[in-house]
Amino acid sequence: MTTVAITDLKEPGVSTICWGAVIAGAFASAALTLLLVAFGAGVGFSVISPWADQGVSMTTFHVGSGLFLIAIAMLSATVGGYLAGRLRTRWVSVHAHEVYFRDTAHGFMSWALATVISATLLGAATTSILSSTATGLIPAAGAGAAASASSATDPYVDTLLRADPATASPSGATPLGQNAPAQTANVNANDPTATRAELARIMAPSLRKGGEISPADRTYVAKVVSARTGIPQAEAEKRVNDTIVQAKQAADEARKTAAKIALWMAAAMLAGAFAAALAATEGGTLRDSRWYEPGWRMRGARN
């Protein structure tokens, strides 16, 4: 029996990953992502409207945004992965299966680096574009109003303390505690800001998972609302209960929206990683082949 000695071919002592090609592909992918996000913001402005009979529905907008997010990830990752595979250094004396794996790794690394770049260097620009789209859905109320709406509980405190203009004094002002019962007339009567802050702190637990307001706090808030607005105690208690239910419903809707966005982002990232790896193999194949000759695929992808 004849024994055949197999000698492994030694490769040059250099890294098997071409960082220059990976970095180039990653930057191209990140820049294209920013471009497509800006384009998506423009499309978003054109398809939404505050009027009920104009623009697409919110469900259609959410689904369309998610699909567009996946399209952005796939398109930008494909370009970045292709460049990473096409611009890499050609490997000599490497088996075709190993070349295929390395090309795939180059595409994946390009996608990973582009994701990090997008999340750090381009995060502020992307956030600015997306926030501009979001604020476009709501009429501008001025810088002062935006600053005063920093707390999530402020809209519900406004609802609690809203008084009927018809019952206001001729001067247009209804001082806190003017129509208050004797037992609540001294509750922050001279400090409306402190009243709002106190009600906000009491309302905050109701926005958390399983959060509730104790019966004593409900009664206290109802007394403060009655003192501030001049409505009867029973009506104030009903307003407090309705406002708490409204706050919980809004918090639940925000939770569902955040969950959908997270799932769409995960799907987009997964699709982007796959597209980058696949595009890198195609770029590597073209890099190693005589693609400019007719019938080159029939003779073999790599020469």
Side-chain angles (χ1 to χ4, degrees), residues 184 187-188 198-199 202 215-225:
T184 60
V187 178
N188 294 325
E198 184 180 25
L199 293 182
I202 295 175
D217 285 339
R218 285 176 183 259
T219 302
Y220 173 77
V221 172
K223 290 180 180 181
V224 173
V225 172

Side-chain angles (χ1 to χ4, degrees), residues 235-275:
E235 184 177 347
E237 292 178 356
K238 183 178 182 302
R239 178 182 292 190
V240 171
N241 293 332
D242 293 343
T243 303
I244 292 175
V245 172
Q246 180 184 358
K248 285 182 174 293
Q249 291 176 344
D252 190 55
E253 288 296 326
R255 175 191 62 81
K256 293 179 180 179
T257 301
K260 292 177 181 178
I261 292 175
L263 292 175
W264 279 117
M265 290 184 63
M269 293 178 68
L270 182 62
F274 178 78

Side-chain angles (χ1 to χ4, degrees), residues 74 77-86 100-109 111 270-286 297 302:
M74 293 188 67
T78 297
V79 173
Y82 177 82
L83 291 176
R86 186 68 183 271
Y100 183 85
F101 172 79
R102 293 184 185 184
D103 284 336
T104 304
H106 274 68
F108 180 81
M109 290 301 298
W111 165 82
L270 182 62
F274 178 78
L278 190 62
T281 60
E282 179 64 16
T285 299
L286 293 175
R297 285 195 183 274
R302 301 178 189 272

Side-chain angles (χ1 to χ4, degrees), residues 46-130:
S46 65
V47 300
I48 57 178
S49 174
W51 303 106
D53 57 343
Q54 297 182 11
V56 299
S57 65
M58 291 307 299
T59 300
T60 303
F61 180 76
H62 289 160
V63 174
S65 298
L67 294 176
F68 185 71
L69 187 63
I70 293 178
I72 288 176
M74 293 188 67
L75 182 58
S76 60
T78 297
V79 173
Y82 177 82
L83 291 176
R86 186 68 183 271
L87 298 178
R88 64 159 175 78
T89 303
R90 183 175 184 178
W91 298 301
V92 182
S93 302
V94 178
H95 194 277
H97 293 173
E98 179 65 17
V99 173
Y100 183 85
F101 172 79
R102 293 184 185 184
D103 284 336
T104 304
H106 274 68
F108 180 81
M109 290 301 298
S110 174
W111 165 82
L113 183 58
T115 301
V116 174
I117 294 174
S118 300
T120 53
L121 301 181
L122 301 180
T126 303
T127 302
S128 176
I129 293 174
L130 293 178

